[in-house]
Amino acid sequence: MKYYIIAGEASGDLHGSNLMKALKEKDPHSEFRFWGGDLMKAQGGTLVKHYRDLAFMGFLEVAMNLRTILNNIKFCKEDIKNHQPDVLILVDYPGFNLRIAKFAKELGIKVIYYISPQLWAWKEGRVEIIKKYVDEMMVILPFEEDFYKKHGVHSHFVGHPLLDAISTLQDISVENFKAEHQLNEKDIIALLPGSRAQEVEKMLEIMLSVRPYFKEYQFVIAGAPSLPKEFYQKYVDDNVHFVSNKTYDLLRCSKAALVTSGTATLETALLNIPEVVCYRGSKISYAIAKRLVKNIKYISLVNLIMDREVVKELIQNDLNTNNLVEELKKILETDKRSQVFADYELLREKLGGKGASENAAEVILKV
């Protein structure tokens, strides 16, 4: 069967690659053409466009790059029409993918959505688009099934694919990791500033402002695969290091982490690392988001799934040096650290066991 997959971000590349692996095991004649990244490329098939050329952050940034986005949509439609896949698999990335869903459905191509857009947070009206143009909806958060049921859309909760990714990790030696990356003997505080250049620059400045208060630790930046090593050099010194494309290994060797809001907050929790969640957007983008987001108390997936505060979120003006220092000290030095570990265990129970990729592949083949 010919599969066309569209993933527009780093997390989509990870989940898309695991889905491709599961599909190959169940469908020996599978052929893949996709928008994604290096992980999907490693599974074989044809990479049409890399996600680093697709990702724009925030309302203002999208507006500034609108021509590029529209050109990408036009190119994608032409590519799908020429390739004529048996099934189109959309991985999150709703602004782009919902436009492609309508086009593909009108061509008579089966449309499957894997990893729901966060419609329960904002743009709930997009559910009507899914109802009209998506043949099967596969969700990875337990509460999403009820959300779609309320709107008359049948969906499958397949489990969370991060559990699959994490379950395959081999044991790691902290000492060997430090030696491999020329780190010193101090305990590590990991910095996960995001994957887009503008986001990384904005977040690293505030994250690194806590250094004078934690001299007994070394700080290690998790480099995004979409950004070159040279991009990070201005932040590196004797006690600030940089590790590229080794985020899971870095986290597993860390005492705590400062994490930009996104999928990385859940990855950090599932790897059992206490964290402070950070977010600061442009004033315009944040003001628009506040008006559009409805009935959502939290921005991190950890807190959303648990429906209570498990990890501290520092958003916009609350993201400052004093607050970061205070919250980081709590998860390093107080009883808060033990409570976080207990809550993480409950989080894993809520998400169920591994097997999301295999479950999703079975649904796709049935369709």
Side-chain angles (χ1 to χ4, degrees):
M1 190 149 57
K2 291 166 65 178
Y3 302 92
Y4 199 106
I5 307 175
I6 303 175
E9 298 171 311
S11 59
D13 180 38
L14 171 64
H15 302 324
S17 68
N18 285 328
L19 179 61
M20 289 168 68
K21 182 179 180 182
L23 284 169
K24 286 194 298 183
E25 291 173 356
K26 297 178 184 297
D27 178 9
H29 303 292
S30 56
E31 296 178 20
F32 297 103
R33 189 172 179 87
F34 54 90
W35 297 45
D38 298 335
L39 296 176
M40 293 174 72
K41 186 177 180 181
Q43 291 298 325
T46 302
L47 174 63
V48 180
K49 275 189 181 286
H50 200 288
Y51 68 78
R52 63 172 166 254
D53 301 321
L54 306 174
F56 301 103
M57 174 187 146
F59 300 97
L60 183 61
E61 293 80 5
V62 167
M64 291 171 61
N65 292 280
L66 189 58
R67 179 176 292 183
T68 299
I69 294 168
L70 292 175
N71 285 338
N72 282 335
I73 291 171
K74 181 181 178 182
F75 175 80
C76 184
K77 288 178 178 179
E78 291 173 352
D79 195 54
I80 289 172
K81 189 174 182 178
N82 292 333
H83 187 59
Q84 286 294 312
D86 297 301
V87 60
L88 171 67
I89 303 171
L90 307 171
V91 185
D92 199 0
Y93 198 48
F96 190 96
N97 276 339
L98 288 175
R99 287 174 171 82
I100 302 302
K102 179 178 186 294
F103 174 80
K105 184 68 174 176
E106 290 171 349
L107 287 181
I109 298 168
K110 287 287 185 182
V111 179
I112 295 177
Y113 219 119
Y114 179 48
I115 305 179
S116 170
Q118 294 180 355
L119 304 185
W120 33 266
W122 68 306
K123 293 195 175 181
E124 194 167 328
R126 284 177 165 178
V127 172
E128 295 304 314
I129 300 175
I130 287 173
K131 192 182 293 188
K132 286 179 68 175
Y133 302 117
V134 174
D135 293 292
E136 291 289 333
M137 193 76 201
M138 298 186 293
V139 300
I140 63 173
L141 299 174
F143 60 81
E144 289 178 325
E145 213 169 21
D146 290 335
F147 169 81
Y148 280 107
K149 185 177 181 181
K150 180 182 76 174
H151 288 280
V153 177
H154 179 66
S155 65
H156 301 265
F157 173 59
V158 295
H160 205 292
L162 279 180
L163 293 168
D164 292 348
I166 288 169
S167 70
T168 63
L169 297 175
Q170 302 295 317
D171 289 340
I172 190 168
S173 161
V174 177
E175 290 74 20
N176 290 346
F177 179 82
K178 288 179 177 178
E180 179 185 352
H181 297 285
Q182 293 83 52
L183 306 179
N184 59 47
E185 73 285 353
K186 294 179 180 178
D187 285 336
I188 296 170
I189 295 175
L191 305 180
L192 278 64
S195 59
R196 306 175 182 102
Q198 57 192 348
E199 180 182 45
V200 171
E201 289 180 332
K202 188 177 295 182
M203 300 307 299
L204 272 181
E205 182 179 356
I206 183 64
M207 287 178 172
L208 287 170
S209 71
V210 306
R211 282 182 299 168
Y213 303 90
F214 298 93
K215 293 181 179 178
E216 68 273 34
Y217 294 92
Q218 60 183 320
F219 293 82
V220 183
I221 302 166
S226 55
L227 296 173
K229 181 178 179 180
E230 294 74 27
F231 178 86
Y232 296 93
Q233 287 308 305
K234 61 184 175 183
Y235 302 104
V236 174
D237 59 29
D238 290 342
N239 207 39
V240 178
H241 307 277
F242 161 80
V243 173
S244 180
N245 209 18
K246 293 281 186 179
T247 301
Y248 281 8
D249 287 351
L250 169 60
L251 284 170
R252 291 191 292 158
C253 294
S254 299
K255 192 81 178 283
L258 304 181
V259 185
T260 298
S261 178
T263 305
T265 63
L266 184 57
E267 292 173 309
T268 303
L270 293 178
L271 290 168
N272 219 34
I273 306 303
E275 64 182 306
V276 180
V277 176
C278 308
Y279 176 78
R280 181 183 287 171
S282 71
K283 290 182 180 180
I284 294 175
S285 293
Y286 184 68
I288 296 172
K290 280 195 71 174
R291 287 179 176 272
L292 293 176
V293 173
K294 301 181 298 181
N295 304 319
I296 298 296
K297 294 182 287 186
Y298 308 107
I299 64 168
S300 71
L301 286 171
V302 178
N303 293 342
L304 284 166
I305 294 166
M306 296 294 286
D307 197 27
R308 60 184 173 88
E309 185 181 88
V310 170
V311 295
K312 185 66 178 179
E313 300 176 354
L314 296 178
I315 306 170
Q316 213 65 3
N317 293 333
D318 288 337
L319 180 59
N320 56 56
T321 303
N322 289 340
N323 287 342
L324 267 180
V325 169
E326 180 182 348
E327 297 302 329
L328 190 51
K329 282 183 176 179
K330 286 180 184 177
I331 59 173
L332 285 169
E333 303 167 2
T334 72
D335 291 342
K336 170 71 173 175
R337 185 174 178 85
S338 298
Q339 183 60 53
V340 168
F341 289 136
D343 287 337
Y344 282 175
E345 184 61 34
L346 295 174
L347 172 71
R348 285 187 284 271
E349 290 177 15
K350 272 203 167 191
L351 288 174
K354 62 181 181 178
S357 303
E358 287 77 12
N359 294 339
E362 286 180 9
V363 172
I364 292 167
L365 290 171
K366 285 178 183 177
V367 173

